[in-house]
């Protein structure tokens, strides 16, 4: 599930997709009705990829929670966020059994289910795990390659500095003056 460009804007219902950045903010498109709005820099905006929920041990990213809901529901819709709190909490406990009940409120749980259903209706949920590059798969640069990259970078940098500097030659006397 990719929620990198999905936003929650304080005071606005639903979720928004980030479209274009402007000088004074950005343009976002509502996932509910497709309307585009401009959002200023003073608005309180949260990226879904940056939101986490408290558990007793760590903070769990919202994308992981939504992936677990997608696995449980086979990428289908989940229960409505309008259900009573007891039913929502019981369902959420099945998804995240170790969530911190003192710091995660029923209103937070309602938002998760509402947001999941919005994303699911747009086909943006997935039960596949995100692919992380492991250290063994990462490409290593050998010592000689690293030296060559550094050498090339230094040469390019020195050429740019030479081109940007103005060279002025002062004309002076060609023979030194001697006192008689």
């Amino acid at each position: 599930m990719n929620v990198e460009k999905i936003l929650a804007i304080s005071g606005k219902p639903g979720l928004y997709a980030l479209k274009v950045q402007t000088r004074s903010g950005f343009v976002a498109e509502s996932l509910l009705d497709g309307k585009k709005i401009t959002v200023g820099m003073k608005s309180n905006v949260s990226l879904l990829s940056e939101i986490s929920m408290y558990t007793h041990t760590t903070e769990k990213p919202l994308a992981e929670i939504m992936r677990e809901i997608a696995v449980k529901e086979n990428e289908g819709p989940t229960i409505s966020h309008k259900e009573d709190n007891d039913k929502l909490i019981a369902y959420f406990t099945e998804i995240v059994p170790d969530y911190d009940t003192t710091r995660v409120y029923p209103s937070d749980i309602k938002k998760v289910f509402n947001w999941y259903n919005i994303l699911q209706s747009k086909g943006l949920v997935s039960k596949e795990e995100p692919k992380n590059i492991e250290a063994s798969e990462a490409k290593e640069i050998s010592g000689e390659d690293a030296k060559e990259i550094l050498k090339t970078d230094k040469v390019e940098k020195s050429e740019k500095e030479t081109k940007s500097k103005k060279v002025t030659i002062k004309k002076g006397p060609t023979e030194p003056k001697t006192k008689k």
Side-chain angles (χ1 to χ4, degrees):
M1 176 181 318
N2 188 4
V3 291
E4 293 296 319
K5 292 189 176 187
I6 306 296
L7 310 168
I9 303 172
S10 181
K12 305 266 187 211
L15 295 174
Y16 295 83
L18 177 66
K19 292 298 178 185
V20 179
Q21 263 190 307
T22 63
R23 281 185 287 152
S24 61
F26 55 89
V27 176
E29 182 180 357
S30 173
L31 293 180
L32 291 174
D33 57 11
K35 291 182 180 176
K36 292 183 182 176
I37 63 168
T38 56
V39 181
M41 292 300 222
K42 291 184 180 181
S43 298
N44 189 5
V45 177
S46 301
L47 284 167
L48 259 55
S49 60
E50 300 294 321
I51 297 175
S52 297
M53 296 193 86
Y54 294 110
T55 65
H56 291 294
T57 54
T58 62
E59 292 180 8
K60 192 167 194 163
L62 186 61
E64 279 185 34
I65 294 171
M66 290 195 177
R67 188 188 66 74
E68 290 177 15
I69 295 171
V71 168
K72 181 174 176 56
E73 297 295 334
N74 198 22
E75 294 184 7
T78 188
I79 64 172
S80 172
H81 65 286
K82 295 180 180 179
E83 296 285 341
D84 65 341
N85 287 347
D86 295 334
K87 190 172 182 180
L88 292 171
I89 290 170
Y91 187 88
F92 193 74
T93 304
E94 292 176 25
I95 304 298
V96 187
D98 64 336
Y99 83 95
D100 190 344
T101 56
T102 59
R103 296 194 286 180
V104 177
Y105 301 107
S107 61
D108 300 326
I109 295 171
K110 285 181 182 187
K111 282 182 188 176
V112 170
F113 290 132
N114 185 23
W115 291 348
Y116 173 85
N117 284 328
I118 291 170
L119 293 171
Q120 188 277 331
S121 69
K122 296 295 180 182
L124 297 174
V125 297
S126 171
K127 57 185 177 180
E128 295 178 15
E129 288 192 41
K131 295 179 181 177
N132 293 330
I133 298 175
E134 294 183 18
S136 61
E137 295 175 6
K139 181 181 176 185
E140 293 184 20
I141 299 174
S142 68
E144 292 301 316
D145 291 338
K147 286 179 187 176
E148 189 62 34
I149 290 169
L150 290 173
K151 183 179 173 184
T152 305
D153 188 40
K154 286 180 184 176
V155 169
E156 288 174 3
K157 191 174 182 180
S158 65
E159 286 175 2
K160 286 179 185 175
E161 287 174 356
T162 306
K163 289 178 184 175
S164 65
K165 289 183 183 177
K166 291 183 179 178
V167 179
T168 56
I169 301 173
K170 293 182 180 179
K171 291 188 176 181
T174 54
E175 295 178 14
K177 292 183 181 178
T178 56
K179 289 184 181 178
K180 289 188 180 180

